[in-house]
Amino acid sequence: MGGRVRDGAVDDLARRVRGVGALADPARLELYRLVVAADDAVSREQAATALGLPAHQVRFHLDRLVADGLLEVEYRRLTGRSGPGAGRPAKLYRRSAREVVVSLPERRYDLAGHLMAEAIDAATSSGVPVDEALRASATAHGRALAVRASAAAGEDEPPAPDLPAVLAALAAEGYEPRASGGEVTLANCPFHALMREHTALVCGMNLALLSGFGEAFGCAARLDPGPGRCCVVLTVPGAPAGGALPAGAVG
């Protein structure tokens, strides 16, 4: 299980890095900016004319941006005519709806925002304190994370306890887990900048998330802040006392 889940995380990071790397070429970046700024989808001919680039070069770069998930393609006749003699539909490019964000080390501010928005909605509708609603939302997300990790590995439910599975699922979320002495520490905090400004709130959210996740795997999560790592430590019952990581985990 560990290897498959971890491989999926690596593949996703590689796709995002390729997407950002595609813009390193100056001509490609200019084409991307042109398409994004346009009111409507842009044809190859329009792009070539606007930037004064050869048509074959424009075609290559636009299709590369499509392959890397930054642009989408649609086909439409620009003449407005239809039927016989109207000509073939033109291949047009517009910005992709896919978001491409790369952060090293990985951060999950999108997840924090989602959980906090859920908590505010719950607090507004039910009257519960926001911090209580945030812990409930984070716990539910942690449980769902464990279920998704098991589904990705082709299993009906999380095995408990299973150190390789725990490490792989945490790595997929950007935590950079380290196993030693039956405990798992997390070298990266996905909410680092928020944690520095709102320590109690964010660490409480993180503890609730990892507690919900850990329950499914038979792990216990606790607050145990330390220099250079996440504030949460997990204990995996029955895990080997040595410091070596299983195959497929992060070292």
Side-chain angles (χ1 to χ4, degrees), residues 29-177:
L29 177 59
E30 286 304 304
L31 280 165
Y32 180 74
R33 286 174 170 166
L34 175 71
V35 173
V36 169
D39 293 332
D40 198 1
V42 175
S43 71
R44 294 168 176 171
E45 294 73 17
Q46 290 170 331
T49 300
L51 298 181
L53 295 174
H56 70 277
Q57 185 178 349
V58 167
R59 180 172 60 251
F60 169 78
H61 287 311
L62 287 173
D63 288 341
R64 167 67 189 276
L65 291 169
V66 172
D68 288 331
L70 297 176
L71 297 181
E72 293 177 349
V73 170
E74 65 179 70
Y75 293 88
R76 182 174 9 114
R77 289 187 175 92
L78 299 180
T79 61
R81 295 182 298 165
S82 60
R88 297 176 60 185
K91 186 175 184 179
L92 306 176
Y93 300 82
R94 65 170 64 251
R95 178 167 56 185
S96 171
R98 174 189 170 199
E99 296 180 2
V100 180
V101 179
V102 176
S103 175
L104 299 173
E106 187 167 358
R107 305 301 188 203
R108 291 299 313 277
Y109 303 124
D110 59 329
L111 173 57
H114 172 75
L115 295 176
M116 291 178 183
E118 275 193 348
I120 293 170
D121 279 348
T124 301
S125 61
S126 66
V128 302
V130 173
D131 59 344
E132 181 180 329
L134 180 58
R135 287 194 297 272
S137 180
T139 300
H141 179 84
R143 290 170 180 155
L145 168 61
V147 171
R148 289 198 302 272
S150 301
E155 299 181 10
D156 293 333
E157 58 184 25
D162 185 330
L163 184 58
V166 170
L167 295 174
L170 290 171
E173 290 295 298
Y175 277 102
E176 297 181 6

